[in-house]
Amino acid sequence: MKKAVFCVVMLAAALTAGAQKISSPNGKLNLIFSIDKGGCPTYTLTYGDKTVVAPSHLGYQLKMDDPNKKTDFEWNTPVAASDEIVRKADLMTGFATTSVETSSFDETWSPVWGEESSIRNHYNELLVHLNQAKNDRSMDIRFRLFDDGLGFRYEFPDQKNLTYFTIKEEKSEFAMTGNHTAWWIAGDYDTQEYEWQTTRLSEIRENMKNAIAPNSSQTPAGPTTVQTSLQMKTDDGLYINLHEAACINYATMHLTYDETNNSFVSHLTPDAAGDKGHIQTPSTSPWRTVIVGEQATDILASRITLNLNEPCKLEDTSWIHPTKYVGVWWEMITGAGTWSYTDDLNSVQLGVTDYTKTKPNGKHGANTKHVKDYIDFAAENGFDAVLVEGWNEGWEDWFGHQKDYVFDFVTPYPDFDVKEISEYAKSKGVKMIMHHETSSSTTNYERHLEDAYDFMNKWGYTSVKSGYVGDIVPYGEHHYSQPLNNHYLYCIKKAADHKIMVNAHEATRPTGICRTYPNWIGNESARGTEYESFGGNPVNHTTILPFTRSIGGPMDYTPGIFVMDLGTWAEGNTSKVRSTLARQLALYVTLYSPLQMAADIIEHYQEKMDAFQFIKDVPCDWDKSLYLEAEPGQYIVTARKAKGADEWFIGCTAAECGHTSNINLDFLTPGKTYTATIYADAKGTAWDNNPEGYVITTKKVTSKSTLKKLVAGAGGGFAISIK
Ligand code: NOJ
Ligand code: CA
């Protein structure tokens, strides 16, 4: 009761002084915009009678050069006083609303690939034109209110007094109303390959130390700074998700938790000079998003991130295809094979060494014979493509030295016959996936990019997995800074010119730009399956990713591991995959991606072809997705309809407590009989007990059937195909 009264008072306060209000199309979400006493733009977001974001400030601190340190043409004459600097650096206070515009938008569009074949983009909009008299500058803020959340961004019109500026910090605030439960990873300028933490907001600081596990490229941003997408749950059961959309020509945003005010404030990634953005007007910031749901499944169903991005800018998209692939990869990650050709490390240097004169180590994965086996396997089992890593010279010394010249992306090792492999793949109807490990030297990569893409075109490679392991060269740049975000998009656009699809690992986390450039078919940008070989992902990991990492776009998670005890075949590897085999199948459904790898080595699939049948059957492009049950950190059950076929696939991933489902199949076409094949954990199977135990059963089902008592063990799951 008290809470309700508080809300009314707060709204009344916010509605004074010319406040503006808009509602979402269904009326449940309400946004109030006002200018506070100091002239600071302020917004409040409510859902029914609940406050989602309490009154929160918006604006920027700009970086101004101190003119006292500068000189004009008549050497050594100061050009301005420092109070002027203070005034000019302020893009936060002293604003007045000059006019407002409201509008509505309702459109249904079809993505080139996706979780559904048509997406509704329906919102009410408020555009506020602001003037800052003390600096004679203008700034607009555009709010879009959807039924499932809010997006807002800053817009900087072309103007005399704000043409070029440097951001010291964006000051977008998200004031919370309670000590919510949050699923977060440590704020970092260079990596999101961290374990998800589940804590109360008040516990972020004390858990930050545990949250930062050693990793190759790492620059923690602060003791209470976390990354987005940040998932939260209030004590009265509301789910709130903070992220961003369309991060273009701008730094990636983290959120710093301010314990005194129980609010988050934006924290942009600095560039090598410590600046957080160089802007030239007219321009717009990325969208800041607040997704709101009464149920956890509402968050998974939200399309806000895509809807806030621009429509597709590529005229011809006929060459963009969702892709299921196998690859020469897991054997290197587990240590059973190598990327490098020789162990004779001291004598090797790219561009200098004649590799044919070095001693091969006998464990080089990317050799022609082995690659052809993978092409055969792909062709026999209906896979679209084969990825091969370690095919190019340079892997003997690629990491850790911040070298400016690492790989040239066009020179194969002597045992990788690119011509023979390409012709063989073509004859089998299989595409090859190129691998470009940039070693984070973006200068080197940009220097070679055109040649590298030409090389791909020449040999018929239609997609590339790129990677950014290690510290960035140019020195001091960060993986998430404005210049790097510009680099990633530059590669995407260049790739589109060459009709190449891109899956970038270790790049910043996505913000839905794949709507605009659908050749951006994937990113890693979180702990993927590779960490199962480096000690293991936490058991709840895959029950959190769809609420966090995947909000911005698909992840190349590379599931499908069938042998959990890696030491049984990769000598010296002591890791055990923290999952059951049935859950590995389920991930093809619960973790959406248009790019799905069957990541294990082919021998392991050949031993269990009955379970492998699910991976052969499951598509990676969908007409419809239904999020049946979910609780972050506990379980997710998702059903998806294959694109253009009356076939459904269901997956369940469960954490330590396991999960039991009864699934009503009323989404099937009425009057039709289907065969459901259920791949479930065997009795007693859990991630740490007989994890490879599975049972396959089949049943005839109709839209009137309910699949009862489907049991996922601890760290387990189930996968179902309905055809
Ligand atoms: C890290 C990537 O995530 C992994 O998939 C890749 O194999 C290695 N870097 C080498 O590029
Ligand atoms: Ca990685």
Side-chain angles (χ1 to χ4, degrees):
M1 190 62 207
K2 255 187 191 162
K3 240 181 209 162
V5 173
F6 169 71
C7 282
V8 172
V9 172
M10 201 186 58
L11 294 188
L15 277 169
T16 57
Q20 310 294 323
K21 181 181 163 187
I22 53 165
S23 303
S24 60
N26 68 6
K28 283 193 179 175
L29 272 172
N30 286 286
L31 171 101
I32 294 161
F33 175 83
S34 63
I35 300 285
D36 80 357
K37 278 192 200 135
C40 186
T42 305
Y43 75 104
T44 306
L45 182 66
T46 59
Y47 182 83
D49 62 358
K50 293 173 181 163
T51 302
V52 180
V53 181
S56 292
H57 290 143
L58 298 173
Y60 283 84
Q61 273 176 358
L62 305 188
K63 181 184 162 191
M64 306 303 282
D65 287 333
D66 183 349
N68 288 314
K69 286 191 197 147
K70 279 196 166 175
T71 55
D72 64 11
F73 293 117
E74 295 172 18
W75 308 98
N76 294 323
T77 314
V79 294
S82 71
D83 58 344
E84 187 185 348
I85 295 305
V86 172
R87 197 191 72 222
K88 283 189 173 164
D90 172 11
L91 198 63
M92 190 132 192
T93 67
F95 279 103
T97 304
T98 53
S99 64
V100 298
E101 295 171 48
T102 55
S103 59
S104 295
F105 188 81
D106 190 2
E107 166 202 75
T108 299
W109 58 280
S110 298
V112 175
W113 42 260
E115 292 183 78
E116 40 194 11
S117 50
S118 73
I119 294 176
R120 189 170 181 196
N121 184 8
H122 189 197
Y123 59 81
N124 291 330
E125 182 174 281
L126 171 69
L127 173 60
V128 190
H129 298 287
L130 302 167
N131 181 260
Q132 191 189 35
K134 63 183 178 184
N135 286 315
D136 189 17
R137 295 193 297 219
S138 60
M139 178 173 84
D140 299 339
I141 305 177
R142 193 183 292 270
F143 297 92
R144 288 188 180 162
L145 205 51
F146 304 79
D147 286 343
D148 50 348
L150 166 71
F152 67 85
R153 74 175 181 192
Y154 302 88
E155 300 187 355
F156 306 102
D158 186 18
Q159 58 195 291
K160 191 168 88 269
N161 291 336
L162 198 65
T163 310
Y164 308 101
F165 62 95
T166 301
I167 297 171
K168 185 165 184 205
E169 191 57 276
E170 178 184 325
K171 291 284 183 184
S172 299
E173 193 187 359
F174 305 84
M176 298 291 102
T177 56
N179 192 11
H180 307 331
T181 301
W183 290 268
W184 56 275
I185 51 173
D188 195 296
Y189 300 144
D190 285 288
T191 185
Q192 49 297 73
E193 293 186 4
Y194 283 130
E195 293 183 2
W196 297 95
Q197 309 296 311
T198 309
T199 74
R200 294 284 180 166
L201 297 181
S202 61
E203 296 164 340
I204 289 176
R205 180 183 294 271
E206 68 198 73
N207 283 280
M208 188 56 79
K209 250 202 175 137
N210 304 335
I212 301 170
N215 178 299
S216 58
S217 33
Q218 198 171 62
T219 322
T224 60
T225 302
V226 300
Q227 306 208 24
T228 71
S229 132
L230 170 68
Q231 179 62 49
M232 288 174 282
K233 184 179 182 182
T234 68
D235 281 349
D236 50 6
L238 209 59
Y239 295 84
I240 303 171
N241 185 291
L242 304 181
H243 191 43
E244 61 178 317
C247 183
I248 292 174
N249 191 18
Y250 205 89
T252 294
M253 176 183 75
H254 292 326
L255 296 170
T256 296
Y257 181 61
D258 171 348
E259 289 137 319
T260 314
N261 296 314
N262 189 27
S263 70
F264 288 98
V265 184
S266 50
H267 176 123
L268 302 181
T269 303
D271 64 17
D275 297 332
K276 299 207 163 186
H278 295 278
I279 309 292
Q280 179 178 352
T281 62
S283 77
T284 58
S285 75
W287 294 92
R288 279 61 187 93
T289 59
V290 185
I291 306 173
V292 185
E294 283 176 41
Q295 301 190 345
T297 50
D298 297 338
I299 304 292
L300 304 179
S302 173
R303 302 287 174 252
I304 281 184
T305 320
L306 289 175
N307 279 331
L308 288 169
N309 274 273
E310 294 291 313
C312 180
K313 286 199 171 155
L314 307 179
E315 266 173 36
D316 173 19
T317 57
S318 60
W319 49 277
I320 299 172
H321 299 288
T323 298
K324 212 158 61 171
Y325 70 103
V326 289
V328 179
W329 176 73
W330 189 229
E331 60 200 77
M332 283 94 90
I333 290 286
T334 54
T338 63
W339 283 274
S340 53
Y341 174 77
T342 173
D343 289 342
D344 197 2
L345 303 187
N346 292 332
S347 63
V348 177
Q349 212 184 326
L350 178 70
V352 177
T353 306
D354 177 356
Y355 273 85
T356 58
K357 300 208 171 102
T358 62
K359 186 166 167 260
N361 66 13
K363 285 167 77 184
H364 181 226
N367 66 76
T368 305
K369 152 94 186 51
H370 193 49
V371 172
K372 281 170 126 179
D373 288 345
Y374 270 79
I375 294 171
D376 288 340
F377 184 78
E380 280 156 22
N381 293 289
F383 284 80
D384 304 296
V386 173
L387 165 77
V388 182
E389 295 195 8
W391 66 277
N392 57 327
E393 289 186 2
W395 284 90
E396 285 70 22
D397 181 16
W398 69 283
F399 170 70
H401 297 131
Q402 282 215 281
K403 290 193 298 181
D404 186 37
Y405 195 88
V406 192
F407 298 110
D408 66 8
F409 314 99
V410 294
T411 309
Y413 278 129
D415 59 345
F416 184 89
D417 189 328
V418 67
K419 184 167 185 288
E420 187 179 335
I421 287 168
S422 293
E423 285 169 358
Y424 192 70
K426 197 169 174 205
S427 76
K428 296 275 176 169
V430 170
K431 297 282 181 207
M432 295 301 296
I433 301 179
M434 174 51 76
H435 184 231
H436 289 167
E437 173 53 67
T438 69
S439 181
S440 280
S441 178
T442 56
T443 39
N444 181 56
Y445 193 39
E446 288 183 14
R447 192 156 53 217
H448 291 286
L449 198 60
E450 195 69 48
D451 289 346
Y453 287 161
D454 280 343
F455 182 86
M456 286 179 61
N457 287 153
K458 177 175 175 195
W459 297 113
Y461 286 70
T462 53
S463 60
V464 60
K465 169 181 171 179
S466 56
Y468 294 86
V469 171
D471 294 337
I472 300 284
V473 179
Y475 303 100
E477 279 301 340
H478 294 295
H479 284 71
Y480 298 180
S481 66
Q482 183 188 29
L484 263 288
N485 287 344
N486 287 343
H487 164 83
Y488 307 131
L489 190 54
Y490 171 75
C491 296
I492 297 291
K493 290 181 185 174
K494 271 255 170 261
D497 293 343
H498 288 260
K499 294 193 167 43
I500 286 170
M501 302 179 276
V502 180
N503 161 31
H505 279 221
E506 293 90 30
T508 194
R509 75 285 187 291
T511 57
I513 303 171
C514 56
R515 178 184 177 187
T516 314
Y517 297 101
N519 64 319
W520 199 334
I521 44 164
N523 273 120
E524 183 193 43
S525 310
R527 286 182 161 232
T529 296
E530 62 182 359
Y531 277 83
E532 298 288 7
S533 173
F534 311 153
N537 278 325
V539 175
N540 65 8
H541 191 62
T542 56
T543 68
I544 300 173
L545 285 175
F547 290 98
T548 50
R549 162 61 186 78
S550 303
I551 294 294
M555 175 172 179
D556 184 33
Y557 188 75
T558 69
I561 304 305
F562 273 24
V563 173
M564 306 303 160
D565 185 348
L566 302 181
T568 56
W569 65 281
E571 211 189 317
N573 191 321
T574 54
S575 273
K576 291 190 176 137
V577 177
R578 295 185 191 162
S579 168
T580 67
L581 189 147
R583 172 157 92 164
Q584 289 294 309
L585 302 180
L587 297 178
Y588 290 92
V589 184
T590 58
L591 276 174
Y592 166 69
S593 177
L595 186 70
Q596 289 282 18
M597 181 178 201
D600 213 332
I601 60 171
I602 54 186
E603 290 82 353
H604 293 163
Y605 292 136
Q606 280 157 341
E607 284 160 13
K608 290 174 185 140
M609 286 306 276
D610 57 348
F612 187 60
Q613 188 62 42
F614 183 83
I615 304 181
K616 287 171 67 170
D617 291 343
V618 70
C620 49
D621 202 17
W622 309 96
D623 270 335
K624 216 185 225 180
S625 292
L626 303 174
Y627 308 93
L628 303 177
E629 302 174 89
E631 192 57 43
Q634 294 183 28
Y635 54 83
I636 294 175
V637 185
T638 304
R640 303 192 199 262
K641 181 186 169 295
K643 198 165 197 171
D646 194 5
E647 296 180 356
W648 285 79
F649 294 80
I650 301 174
C652 165
T653 174
E656 276 294 355
C657 294
H659 187 64
T660 302
S661 293
N662 296 306
I663 301 179
N664 182 340
L665 300 180
D666 58 1
F667 46 80
L668 298 180
T669 309
K672 228 177 135 170
T673 302
Y674 302 76
T675 303
T677 307
I678 304 165
Y679 304 76
D681 291 331
K683 207 163 191 266
T685 281
W687 70 275
D688 55 354
N689 180 40
N690 185 30
E692 290 158 25
Y694 62 91
V695 180
I696 303 175
T697 49
T698 56
K699 271 189 183 144
K700 295 283 174 211
V701 294
T702 69
S703 63
K704 294 198 174 123
S705 310
T706 298
L707 294 172
K708 291 196 182 128
K709 285 213 171 142
L710 298 161
V711 179
F718 54 79
I720 306 170
S721 67
I722 304 179
K723 306 214 271 181

